[in-house]
Amino acid sequence: MQSTSHRIIQQFSLSEMFANRHDHASQRPYSLLLVLVCLALYTIGFIIVTSASMPIAERMYDNPYHFAIRHGIYVLLAITAALIVLNIPMQFWRVVNPYLLFLAIALLIIVIVNGKAVYGSTRWIVLGPITVQPAEPAKLFFFLYLAGYLVRRYEQVQDNLRGFFKPLIVFFVFAALLLMQPDLGTVVVMFTTTLALLFLAGARLGHFLAVIFTGAAAFALLIATSDYRRARISGFLDPWADPFGDGYQLTQSLMAYGRGSWFGEGLGNSLQKLEFLPEAHTDFIMAILAEEFGYVGILIVLVLLFTLIVKGLQISNLALSNQRPFEAFTAYGISIWICLQTAINIGASSGLLPTKGLTLPLVSYGGSSLIIMSIAVALLVRIDFELRVDGVHAISRSARSSSAKKTKAGRGDDE
């Protein structure tokens, strides 16, 4: 009888369980597609950052590969951080997310009190040779907290005005600290993602619409009371009215898009990167990519990022259907965050949206953004892994139950 039971259980090997769980489409305990998309974005980002940064690196540091070397180091650090996160169970994040919220607030206070100012914005903490931008981990930590809150207070969010507004009060604290830097772009991303998660959690439509109108009025007031924000809006609405003033950056970016046409001027042949276009290797990296690789290059990057977002939403839906709400809201938050940041970055460089200082996920130069975004994607991979493992355990339990029944039946036959 023992040999019969052992033989039945042995038939359900790990690979067979995964194959049964996923209709024979994949036997891997992780999403290979997510990994390949990230590696492709890392590669494209490294190539474009190297090309776009060479002129300014040569002038500032007498080394054309200064930023390329640093970006390569950031990529290695990002991959290392992602590998570490992959080995941390989601239960850990479910427990520590309130503490991470306080850590994020502390970092935002530190950068205001003792941060490094660049171009009039105080957004960086200097730690020796390393600069950290607290706004990046603040986004991730806030979304993890929000996911935990929506699980703990799910019914209150749906039925109670107080439960709905509590996370918005926390957001207001973050927004106030971020606007002191100032960093309106991050506030927009966090606000929109927060509303999207509250909507997905089933918040009442009346509460939802009230917050939208209030937020829109607040953003309009912020623009109206700030000279440099008004200048950005006027430069966005008609950049050619003042091509050497408020509209300078956008007009140079549009020239890069125009020169690129369908197939681009070729790698290294951009003219705008010759210090005509400011922030060419950071916020306006897509303009250089468009100039050197054309609209075909843009399409490739958009398809990769779209694939990443859709896969994240699929993981979210699967987690929700498997009664794992924290993982579902976390994956929703990360997917919406990536989508918004991509849309704002590309929209700003192409003239569809006002200029905002947000990087292109996994592509632009910037250590803090690259590392935090890699951690966020690693969380998606981890959630997907745990869902697959749950499926295998369910099959394994079913196999053992079936084995036990057959063993009992065998004993009955023997009797």
Side-chain angles (χ1 to χ4, degrees), residues 35 50 105 112 115 126 197 200 216 237 249 251 266 284 353 363 403:
V35 175
T50 300
I105 293 174
I112 293 171
V126 180
L197 288 177
L200 290 170
L237 293 175
Q249 196 167 26
T251 55
F284 281 76
L353 294 172
V363 177
S403 170

Side-chain angles (χ1 to χ4, degrees), residues 5 7 14 33 80 140 157 163 226 233 261 270 296 362 376 415:
S5 175
R7 193 163 54 249
L14 185 62
L33 181 62
T80 302
L140 177 61
V157 170
S226 172
I233 294 297
S261 189
S270 167
V296 172
L362 303 178
E415 293 173 358

Side-chain angles (χ1 to χ4, degrees), residues 219-294:
F219 287 128
L221 182 63
L222 288 171
I223 293 170
T225 56
S226 172
D227 292 337
Y228 89 92
R229 291 190 184 115
R230 287 201 305 273
R232 282 191 173 185
I233 294 297
S234 62
F236 157 69
L237 293 175
D238 189 6
W240 301 104
D242 188 9
F244 297 102
D246 294 337
Y248 177 77
Q249 196 167 26
L250 181 53
T251 55
Q252 297 300 316
S253 180
L254 293 175
M255 289 179 191
Y257 276 94
R259 289 192 74 245
S261 189
W262 285 103
F263 300 101
E265 296 292 322
L267 180 62
N269 292 328
S270 167
L271 292 180
Q272 297 307 116
K273 73 180 183 183
L274 302 177
E275 299 195 60
F276 291 106
L277 176 61
E279 309 297 330
H281 60 295
T282 55
D283 302 341
F284 281 76
I285 191 72
M286 188 56 96
I288 303 302
L289 185 144
E291 188 177 5
E292 296 191 347
F293 291 97

Side-chain angles (χ1 to χ4, degrees), residues 31-51:
S31 174
L32 180 62
L33 181 62
L34 274 178
V35 175
L36 292 178
V37 166
C38 288
L39 291 176
L41 290 170
Y42 285 145
T43 304
I44 293 171
F46 180 75
I47 293 171
I48 298 300
V49 165
T50 300
S51 176

Side-chain angles (χ1 to χ4, degrees), residues 46-127:
F46 180 75
I47 293 171
I48 298 300
V49 165
T50 300
S51 176
S53 65
M54 290 179 74
I56 190 172
E58 176 71 31
R59 178 178 63 82
M60 294 179 63
Y61 301 100
D62 199 27
N63 177 8
Y65 299 105
H66 174 82
F67 292 110
I69 293 170
R70 290 176 68 92
H71 189 72
I73 294 171
Y74 292 149
V75 170
L76 292 176
L77 290 174
I79 293 174
T80 302
L83 291 174
I84 292 172
V85 170
L86 283 175
N87 289 281
I88 300 175
M90 289 305 297
Q91 175 63 26
F92 170 81
W93 304 103
R94 193 180 298 116
V95 171
V96 305
N97 67 81
Y99 306 104
L100 293 176
L101 181 75
F102 289 115
L103 175 60
I105 293 174
L107 289 173
L108 291 175
I109 293 173
I110 290 172
V111 76
I112 293 171
V113 174
N114 191 28
K116 177 184 178 182
V118 177
Y119 299 128
S121 298
T122 307
R123 301 180 184 176
W124 292 267
I125 297 174
V126 180
L127 302 173

